Amino acid sequence: MTIPPMPSGSDTPPELPPGSPPGSPPGSPNATPNGSPQSESPKNELPRWAQKQHQARTLEQPSEAEMVAFIGPKWEKVYRRKLAPFFEDASFVPTWNWSAAIAFPPAWFLYRKLYLPFAFFFLLPGIAFRLLTGTDKPLTMAAMQLPENEWLLMMNVAVFVSTMLASGGTANWFLYRRARAANRLVVQQQLPAAEAQLLLRRVGGVNKLATSLFVALSMMLAIATIGG
């Protein structure tokens, strides 16, 4: 009688642990130690390193929705174009803002809640005029129109025009910097989307009441100065 050859070790299938389903060999990534397949992790959840990178990008550049919430209705028609250079490079480059230049020079900054630039442009003309002329005595318009004080009138006009140019050339950059700082503050709070949008609207937007009071007081002061 001929005895059939025994199967070689390479032909012998590996032993499966008890309870292991067919098609799930040991060591399979979808098999647990008891043989049951593992549940897949949610596909929409980003790993922590990706979440950190996304948060860093959000801190660096506000999104479209965040800029709409901060700037207000004029974002689409006005400020998207004006602030576009700073989204490519956040460093200062001169741009132009007619509203900041032709209104009472500091009034636009107060209107847009840029309080530090407002204080700077409010105090700068007077300080510059005193340094350039060497006089601390306030002069009325009638006094500056005297022949001996004509140079003071010209100096006053020069300071005013310089302030207008500086205001119009830096206004957009100051607004962008404040929008980015406000967005960074809101992102770090880790609020729900609706609350974050509400906070951005409250931090941004405009300050109509303070601007109206400032313009009214400035006009009263100008009338008093002209009248002597």
Side-chain angles (χ1 to χ4, degrees):
M1 176 185 292
T2 305
I3 300 175
M6 297 293 294
S8 62
S10 60
D11 296 332
T12 304
E15 294 183 0
L16 297 177
S20 195
S24 298
S28 173
N30 294 327
T32 57
N34 61 1
S36 60
Q38 294 179 349
S39 59
E40 296 183 358
S41 58
K43 295 182 179 180
N44 295 331
E45 183 178 354
L46 294 175
R48 289 187 176 180
W49 63 267
Q51 292 178 358
K52 291 181 179 179
Q53 288 186 355
H54 175 72
Q55 184 177 15
R57 287 193 298 269
T58 305
L59 288 172
E60 183 65 24
Q61 294 292 2
S63 66
E64 179 81 9
E66 290 162 344
M67 291 302 296
V68 171
F70 180 84
I71 297 295
K74 290 189 176 181
W75 165 251
E76 282 291 337
K77 295 183 179 180
V78 179
Y79 288 104
R80 177 200 290 273
R81 174 180 52 84
K82 290 181 181 292
L83 303 185
F86 306 116
F87 281 89
E88 299 177 2
D89 186 358
S91 58
F92 172 74
V93 291
T95 56
W96 190 248
N97 188 314
W98 278 108
S99 299
I102 64 177
F104 290 98
W108 181 89
F109 295 95
L110 181 60
Y111 181 72
R112 279 291 170 184
K113 299 182 180 180
L114 299 168
Y115 300 119
L116 288 179
F118 163 74
F120 175 78
F121 285 109
F122 178 72
L123 299 174
L124 177 65
I127 295 174
F129 182 78
R130 289 179 176 85
L131 291 176
L132 292 173
T133 61
T135 178
D136 294 332
K137 182 180 179 181
L139 298 175
T140 63
M141 187 63 65
M144 285 192 292
Q145 289 176 349
L146 296 175
E148 63 271 19
N149 293 331
E150 185 178 356
W151 70 281
L152 291 175
L153 178 61
M154 299 300 297
M155 191 64 67
N156 191 35
V157 172
V159 170
F160 181 76
V161 172
S162 299
T163 305
M164 288 179 58
L165 295 175
S167 300
T170 59
N172 295 328
W173 184 72
F174 279 122
L175 183 61
Y176 165 77
R177 295 280 297 183
R178 188 172 185 277
R180 192 173 70 167
N183 177 70
R184 183 174 301 173
L185 174 65
V186 171
V187 170
Q188 289 175 346
Q189 299 297 320
Q190 297 182 351
L191 300 173
E195 295 184 15
Q197 294 285 320
L198 184 62
L199 181 57
L200 274 175
R201 290 189 183 95
R202 186 164 61 249
V203 174
V206 296
N207 191 339
K208 296 181 180 180
L209 178 60
T211 307
S212 301
L213 293 175
F214 172 74
V215 172
L217 291 174
S218 298
M219 293 180 66
M220 292 171 60
L221 181 60
I223 294 172
T225 302
I226 293 174

